[in-house]
Amino acid sequence: MNQSQNAQPLTKSFIYRQRFGYGLGDFACNLIWQVISLYLLYFYTDIMQLNAASITAMFVVCRFIDAVTDVLVGFAIDKTKTKWGKSRPWFLFGAVPFALAAFLAFSVPNISPSGKLAYAYVTYIFLSFMYTVVNIPLASILPALTDDMNERTVLATWRKFLAFLGSTIVSATALTLVGLIGKGNEALGFRVVMGMFGIIGCLCFFLTFALVRENNLQENVKSASLKETIASLASNTPWKLFALNILLCGPVILCSLLR
């Protein structure tokens, strides 16, 4: 294995620390994103009192923005060069903004309905962008953690397991915590709960940064330019089908709400 000079020796304790640290990244992501998947639409329509059609339009707009930011963040990671590697710095510097974005997205400002809709746009776009900032490095860092294909499979398994654990914790506890903390005030309950999950997620990303190490396994691989990256996506049929599926989610939600 071609390791960097600062790489940790591959002792059994280091291997297990790295597996746990890598999995914690997706645990943090799902601790936040599962709340969004399960409760954000309810939060917008029933707590913020926003129009369902307006929120659905916002989701569609944000999907277009995500399609752009995903490419740009991936390109930026590829161009990143630090003493910590390409992907690790994104966990360190993205953790606090990601936690802050989650807290702001589930806060209800005391402003007009149109102001609340604008606030929802800004905070949801910010949260989606910060999710991209911390989530894409989880995929990009895997080849740099080890050149052993079996170990990569184990690392991916740890990531999926801890992601499932994070989702399960949210499903089992989020609404109960909202009720206990808010005591009838769901706006307060969601704000505090997302603040708690955000802090936990932030600490998890700090641990991910601390426990994983990038090795110089791909140092001789030529980085693609932004133009080459976009051209590659344009000819990638599975990616285009996936993007189309994401964009169609908004109208499907709207139709279900208008029944």
Side-chain angles (χ1 to χ4, degrees), residues 51-74:
N51 179 269
S54 298
I55 292 302
T56 302
M58 181 191 76
F59 287 154
V60 174
V61 170
C62 289
R63 294 287 74 78
F64 278 103
I65 295 174
D66 284 345
V68 176
T69 57
D70 285 356
V71 175
L72 293 178
V73 170

Side-chain angles (χ1 to χ4, degrees), residues 197-214:
F197 286 168
I199 291 172
I200 295 171
C202 182
L203 294 175
C204 286
F205 275 118
F206 287 157
L207 285 172
T208 297
F209 171 80
L211 294 176
V212 304
R213 290 292 182 273
E214 291 186 52

Side-chain angles (χ1 to χ4, degrees), residues 61-97:
V61 170
C62 289
R63 294 287 74 78
F64 278 103
I65 295 174
D66 284 345
V68 176
T69 57
D70 285 356
V71 175
L72 293 178
V73 170
F75 178 75
I77 292 171
D78 190 51
K79 296 299 182 182
T80 299
K81 293 182 180 180
T82 73
K83 63 181 180 180
W84 300 310
K86 290 177 176 287
S87 301
R88 281 180 70 215
W90 294 75
F91 303 136
L92 178 64
F93 297 111
V96 173

Side-chain angles (χ1 to χ4, degrees), residues 43 47 106 173-194 196:
F43 180 83
I47 298 176
F106 280 85
T173 67
L175 281 186
T176 300
L177 289 172
V178 168
L180 290 173
I181 295 170
K183 297 180 180 178
N185 185 344
E186 287 189 306
L188 173 63
F190 270 108
R191 184 169 69 249
V192 174
V193 168
M194 285 308 290
M196 292 167 49

